[in-house]
Amino acid sequence: MDKVLKQLPTLAKDKHNENKKYFDKLKKKPPKDLDYQMQSIHEQVFDRVDCLSCANCCKTTGPLFTNADIERIAKHLRLKPQQFIDQYLQIDEDNDYVLQQVPCTFLDAENYCLIYEVRPKACREYPHTDRKKFNQITNLTLKNVAICPAAFEVVEEMKKRIALK
């Protein structure tokens, strides 16, 4: 997995223009069954990918924390929401709550999440390749292919299976 992760930014950069053109076409005229096809591709890729052997998302990027996430996680950690915010979060340039540091404080040495059952919505949905109306998050996906080997594989499989005119 280390070898794949070292190559991923370069692979993603090499494919960026090709992926951007593909996504531009996808946005203009998405197939009627896009969500169905994306769900299928997502499931097939994640049947092969073991996130615990990677955890690159947790090591390199921090999720956004919604107010609901903060309430839920704080309760789980037996903290008041403001204590959780003060201890773990900061406000970014978009005025969103994000982690004070990466890798994620809640990632252990074996790549397990210490708050997995109450993790933020952004973590639960990452890399968002099975989201409905996938064609609306192509810019996010372009970023994620450089971070997540599974997202990279999903996009490569998409281009093979979903022909665009």
Side-chain angles (χ1 to χ4, degrees), residues 6-7 12 29 49 53 68 73 92 104 116 132 143 148 163:
K6 280 190 179 95
Q7 294 174 335
K29 196 164 192 245
V49 173
S53 70
I73 297 166
D92 71 3
C104 180
Y116 187 80
K132 294 212 181 315
K143 289 177 187 163
C148 175

Side-chain angles (χ1 to χ4, degrees), residues 49-63:
V49 173
D50 175 20
C51 292
L52 290 174
S53 70
C54 178
N56 199 42
C57 51
C58 307
K59 293 173 183 173
T60 62
T61 58

Side-chain angles (χ1 to χ4, degrees), residues 34 57 61 68 99 132 136 142 156:
L34 178 64
C57 51
T61 58
L99 290 169
K132 294 212 181 315
Q136 295 177 355
L142 282 171
E156 291 306 299

Side-chain angles (χ1 to χ4, degrees), residues 12 25 32 51 76 79 83 86 89 95 102 110 113 120-121 131 146 150 158 162-163:
K25 285 182 185 178
K32 290 192 185 348
C51 292
H76 176 80
L79 297 170
Q83 289 174 303
D86 293 344
L89 305 180
N95 222 23
V102 290
E110 281 80 44
C113 176
K121 181 177 189 261
R131 185 187 282 185
M158 267 182 84
I162 305 173

